[in-house]
Amino acid sequence: MAYRYWCGDCGHRTLWLRQSDAEQKHLDHYVTEHPRIAPGGRIEINDKNPEGVSGSLLVLIALVLLLVLPAACQR
């Protein structure tokens, strides 16, 4: 499953990530932006996209490499 954490004090939200990664990003946000406030907000769960953003991102990177590498080798 993919998780997205929303800040309870501003409009910030994490990307869709694995739970531990999203939670860490949420905590990092509170440390830098709201240092004296306990972390709060809400959590969204996306069970339709079990890989989160990272799976899609890897496919996109692979496609870009497949297009760029042959063009670069034709010099």
Side-chain angles (χ1 to χ4, degrees), residues 41-74:
R42 63 186 175 99
I43 304 168
E44 285 184 90
I45 301 172
N46 183 354
D47 56 357
K48 295 178 185 174
N49 185 6
E51 294 299 316
V53 173
S54 60
S56 308
L57 187 58
L58 291 175
V59 170
L60 181 61
I61 290 170
L63 289 173
V64 168
L65 287 175
L66 287 173
L67 293 172
V68 172
L69 287 177
C73 293
Q74 289 181 354

Side-chain angles (χ1 to χ4, degrees), residues 18-29:
R18 291 181 301 172
Q19 184 176 13
S20 60
D21 295 335
E23 183 177 10
Q24 185 61 50
K25 295 284 186 188
H26 183 65
L27 293 174
D28 293 345
H29 167 75

